[in-house]
Amino acid sequence: MFSSPLSTSSRQLRKILPFIWFFSFLLPTPTSFLQPTSFLHSGVGFTQSINADRELKKSMVKIAKDLKLSESDVSFSILVPGLGRIEHAADIPRIPASAMKLVVASAAMDELGPDFMMHTDLVLDGIVQDGVLEGNLLIIGRGDPAVSGRENTDDLLWELRPWVTFLNAQGVKRISGKILADARYFEGDGFHSDWPRESSHRWYYARSGALNLNDNCLDVYVGPVSSGQVLVDVKPTQPLARFVNRMKICKDRKKHLIRIERPGPSWEITLTGAFLESAEKRKFHVAVPDPASHFVGAFSEMLAEAGIVVLGEDLPISELSPGVESPKVNQRISHTLISRMPVMMKNSQNLYAESFFRILGKELGGDGSFESSGRVLANWARKNFQESESLVFRDGSGLSRLNRLDARFLRSVVDWVLLQSWAESLFECMAFSGVDGTLEKRMATDLLKGKVCAKTGTLNDVSSLVGWLKPTGVNQPITFAFVFNGRKGQVAKARQWQDRCLDLLAKRRSGNESQ
């Protein structure tokens, strides 16, 4: 945080941020988002400010009503330089959906730092003699969600190949023991109790763990039709998985429907439905029931392909404390926190959010379970923001319908981030209107394209948008949080409401309201 003559503690920021904005022309700026300017130069007097506040609030509520959204279902909190706060139901806790990811990212950047390293280690627990590893091969995980897959979609196991090369260089032909996963870094199940169990096979509900590979999913390829059968393939190769193919072939495009199920803890994946005879191959992502076993199974296949035989004898294991770094690390995969942020923030990847949420909980004194991580995040919120006692942090992705955040808190998080030295790094990881991520197809007009940086959130009856708007010709960003909790089927209208409100703000601030 940059130095300030106001001597403001972060605990007080939520209450006095409007005054910080007012005096910001006195302060040096840490990022390009906060350019030195005086509100005294804005041409808006005190009386005008109050009137503008009321008129903008009425206009935004009217936009919601015109879209058939109930006034009681929407909340917003907006901080406009020179005007102050514009709010409606801003202190009502609501389901935030994936806007929760912005809170997790902010806390992780604050407490762990952008350069926090996540390691996944390979340890030879024994000596190599005459081509035999006399012991076990240990894989030690510490929650990194991003081992393999994202940077090389043609080779989902590319980051593990140096491990195989290393074993070959050591002359290992056989392993007398087993390939063992040390996944003790986290306590508790990686599938939250608030999530629907019947959806545990869906990629967006993928379990998090100390060891994660390919987003903890199998890439299942269905089709095309060959020799009277619907072909099925899977990557990475997983010896634990068993496929039951009950797909039928159809010629009617309207009957083309593919269903994929993997019940509970089972590795059996069943495909039913009808596949169009002329259709091309399609790819699906199926979440695995056990991330650690998934990692070990895929790596075992790699060793088999390299001609390395695992004998599987029951041999003693070196004593290692959970989460404590082994002195015998032979190979390591490492990623920084900030390098993994774009996938979580631009693409809203749930597994990454849960991993960072649990890492935060573990590193700040908890056990890495959902429960302890929720307490850690709540403590962080109370430390930095007033009036946050009623907020509820159940998971890191926002999938839980028991999460409760209010619009004022969410907007205050954006204001707080703007004051941090790493603000620009985090905002670069977020989606920009009309450009990329979850905002690629939203607000793509000349007025708004590239001018909104935000985190979206969506559930069946929830839509949230939290971030900042910086119209052309405006020095300081407008920070905002919009949250809708209403009826199913209204999410599209809620997004229109958010976009139209930001369009209105941009026109007002750039003096182009007649556009």
Side-chain angles (χ1 to χ4, degrees), residues 56-64 76 78 497 501 505:
L56 278 169
K57 176 180 175 178
K58 288 180 181 178
S59 297
M60 291 178 181
V61 171
K62 184 178 184 301
I63 291 171
F76 55 83
I78 303 164
W497 164 64
C501 286
L505 280 169

Side-chain angles (χ1 to χ4, degrees), residues 310-511:
V310 181
L311 300 177
E313 298 176 15
D314 290 322
L315 300 176
I317 307 169
S318 295
E319 288 296 324
L320 294 175
S321 299
V324 175
E325 187 168 318
S326 168
K328 302 187 297 181
V329 172
N330 299 108
Q331 289 286 288
R332 166 168 283 176
I333 297 170
S334 299
H335 298 128
T336 61
L337 180 71
I338 191 64
S339 72
R340 305 297 97 179
M341 278 290 176
V343 174
M344 169 177 150
M345 300 301 285
K346 285 187 185 293
N347 301 337
S348 204
Q349 223 286 0
N350 294 328
L351 173 65
Y352 284 49
E354 300 302 351
S355 296
F356 296 157
F357 177 67
R358 298 180 71 186
I359 290 172
L360 186 67
K362 177 70 174 184
E363 294 296 322
L364 269 62
D367 59 13
S369 65
F370 284 112
E371 292 76 15
S372 73
S373 299
R375 289 192 294 270
V376 165
L377 191 57
N379 289 337
W380 176 83
R382 284 192 289 269
K383 180 178 70 173
N384 290 287
F385 304 93
Q386 290 188 348
E387 302 173 13
S388 57
E389 290 76 11
S390 63
L391 307 181
V392 180
F393 304 89
R394 295 285 294 175
D395 63 13
S397 64
L399 284 171
S400 171
R401 300 187 66 85
L402 298 182
N403 289 316
R404 290 295 184 274
L405 306 180
D406 63 59
R408 186 177 298 153
F409 167 75
L410 287 167
R411 191 263 307 153
S412 295
V413 170
V414 181
D415 293 324
W416 181 86
V417 170
L418 280 165
L419 300 177
Q420 309 308 311
S421 61
W422 40 261
E424 198 159 1
S425 296
L426 179 58
F427 288 135
E428 286 174 352
C429 296
M430 293 170 61
F432 282 82
S433 53
V435 176
D436 59 11
T438 55
L439 290 180
E440 183 178 4
K441 297 181 180 180
R442 293 178 62 178
M443 296 175 282
T445 62
D446 291 341
L447 182 65
L448 290 178
K449 185 174 182 179
K451 303 299 192 299
V452 176
C453 173
K455 183 69 200 75
T456 58
T458 305
L459 292 173
N460 286 337
D461 51 0
V462 177
S463 179
S464 55
L465 187 69
V466 184
W468 54 259
L469 161 69
K470 196 165 183 288
T472 301
V474 175
N475 288 326
Q476 293 178 328
I478 300 167
T479 55
F480 61 82
F482 296 94
V483 184
F484 164 80
N485 284 189
R487 300 195 308 272
K488 291 182 179 180
Q490 291 189 312
V491 166
K493 290 183 178 180
R495 289 174 180 162
Q496 291 178 44
W497 164 64
Q498 296 158 4
D499 295 358
R500 291 181 188 180
C501 286
L502 290 175
D503 182 79
L504 175 63
L505 280 169
K507 288 175 179 176
R508 290 281 180 96
R509 297 306 285 172
S510 60

Side-chain angles (χ1 to χ4, degrees), residues 182-193:
D182 185 346
R184 297 175 294 169
Y185 181 72
F186 291 146
E187 291 290 334
D189 192 357
F191 190 89
H192 202 289
S193 59

Side-chain angles (χ1 to χ4, degrees), residues 221-226 229-231 247-258 274-284:
Y221 296 85
V222 182
V225 173
S226 178
Q229 288 188 329
V230 180
L231 300 182
M247 293 288 300
K248 296 180 180 179
I249 301 170
C250 67
K251 296 184 178 181
D252 185 350
R253 186 175 298 274
K254 294 180 180 179
K255 295 181 180 180
H256 180 72
L257 179 64
I258 302 168
F275 192 88
L276 185 65
E277 188 175 37
S278 59
E280 299 291 329
K281 177 170 62 176
R282 291 188 59 189
K283 181 168 74 170
F284 299 86

Side-chain angles (χ1 to χ4, degrees), residues 17-35:
L17 266 167
F19 300 99
I20 291 178
W21 282 110
F22 183 81
F23 287 106
S24 64
F25 68 97
L26 297 174
L27 310 177
T29 60
T31 75
S32 62
F33 301 110
L34 291 173
Q35 297 297 329

Side-chain angles (χ1 to χ4, degrees), residues 159-350:
E159 280 195 294
L160 300 185
R161 301 217 177 272
W163 289 9
V164 178
T165 301
F166 169 78
L167 292 173
N168 284 330
Q170 298 298 307
V172 176
K173 299 297 182 184
R174 291 186 296 171
I175 298 170
S176 59
K178 301 176 181 178
I179 303 175
L180 300 175
D182 185 346
R184 297 175 294 169
Y185 181 72
F186 291 146
E187 291 290 334
D189 192 357
F191 190 89
H192 202 289
S193 59
D194 293 348
W195 302 347
R197 287 282 165 183
E198 65 274 13
S199 297
S200 64
H201 66 291
R202 301 189 184 280
W203 67 266
Y204 44 86
Y205 282 114
R207 280 176 164 81
S208 58
L211 284 166
N212 306 290
L213 182 69
N214 192 41
D215 293 353
N216 290 342
C217 285
L218 293 173
D219 293 354
V220 179
Y221 296 85
V222 182
V225 173
S226 178
S227 301
Q229 288 188 329
V230 180
L231 300 182
V232 177
D233 192 17
V234 62
K235 292 182 180 180
T237 303
Q238 178 52 259
L240 295 172
R242 175 175 175 265
F243 287 86
V244 179
N245 184 0
R246 295 176 181 159
M247 293 288 300
K248 296 180 180 179
I249 301 170
C250 67
K251 296 184 178 181
D252 185 350
R253 186 175 298 274
K254 294 180 180 179
K255 295 181 180 180
H256 180 72
L257 179 64
I258 302 168
R259 299 185 186 91
I260 301 179
E261 299 291 337
R262 183 195 54 74
S266 173
W267 282 91
E268 183 173 282
I269 299 171
T270 302
L271 295 90
T272 59
F275 192 88
L276 185 65
E277 188 175 37
S278 59
E280 299 291 329
K281 177 170 62 176
R282 291 188 59 189
K283 181 168 74 170
F284 299 86
H285 304 287
V286 180
V288 299
D290 181 359
S293 296
H294 175 50
F295 199 117
V296 169
F299 188 57
S300 298
E301 282 294 302
M302 294 180 70
L303 296 185
E305 292 173 3
I308 299 175
V309 179
V310 181
L311 300 177
E313 298 176 15
D314 290 322
L315 300 176
I317 307 169
S318 295
E319 288 296 324
L320 294 175
S321 299
V324 175
E325 187 168 318
S326 168
K328 302 187 297 181
V329 172
N330 299 108
Q331 289 286 288
R332 166 168 283 176
I333 297 170
S334 299
H335 298 128
T336 61
L337 180 71
I338 191 64
S339 72
R340 305 297 97 179
M341 278 290 176
V343 174
M344 169 177 150
M345 300 301 285
K346 285 187 185 293
N347 301 337
S348 204
Q349 223 286 0
N350 294 328

